[in-house]
Amino acid sequence: MTSFDTGRQAEAAAATYLKHQGFTVLGQNVRTRTYEIDIIAEKSRDLYFVEVKYRKNDIAGGGLEYITPGKLRQMQFAAEMWLSENRRSGDYRLAGVEVSGADFEVTDFIDSLT
């Protein structure tokens, strides 16, 4: 399995998890020339821009530990670009989902990274 396939499976697992938590998934793997967003979801009229981190195991730590201040800035830029392009406004959250192991199990969800 390639890392591309692994990433897609991790995003699919995260999207399924979010749906089970009452979110509506508006987009997955959204990519443009200037940004990428793993998942865009909505719950109770709040928008969530979700970074998905996969780890085969936790030897090197959990996946969400790798969301750095630089990554948060990229996520914020992507969220603001998407909002502008889709003529949406209002508050939004930057969130993270950690997916682990061969079974692509969601092991952590943080609904607000900031």
Side-chain angles (χ1 to χ4, degrees), residues 7-21:
R8 291 289 175 120
Q9 282 192 272
E11 287 175 9
T16 298
Y17 171 85
L18 291 171
K19 289 175 188 173
H20 283 48
Q21 299 301 313

Side-chain angles (χ1 to χ4, degrees), residues 29-62:
N29 198 29
V30 177
R31 298 183 188 281
T32 72
R33 288 182 28 189
T34 55
Y35 66 85
E36 69 177 71
I37 302 167
D38 292 339
I39 297 174
I40 303 166
E42 189 171 30
K43 184 176 184 181
S44 301
R45 302 180 93 175
D46 292 327
L47 279 174
Y48 293 78
F49 294 88
V50 184
E51 178 71 11
V52 178
K53 290 293 187 185
Y54 172 79
R55 290 292 174 265
K56 187 174 186 177
N57 55 53
D58 62 0
I59 291 171

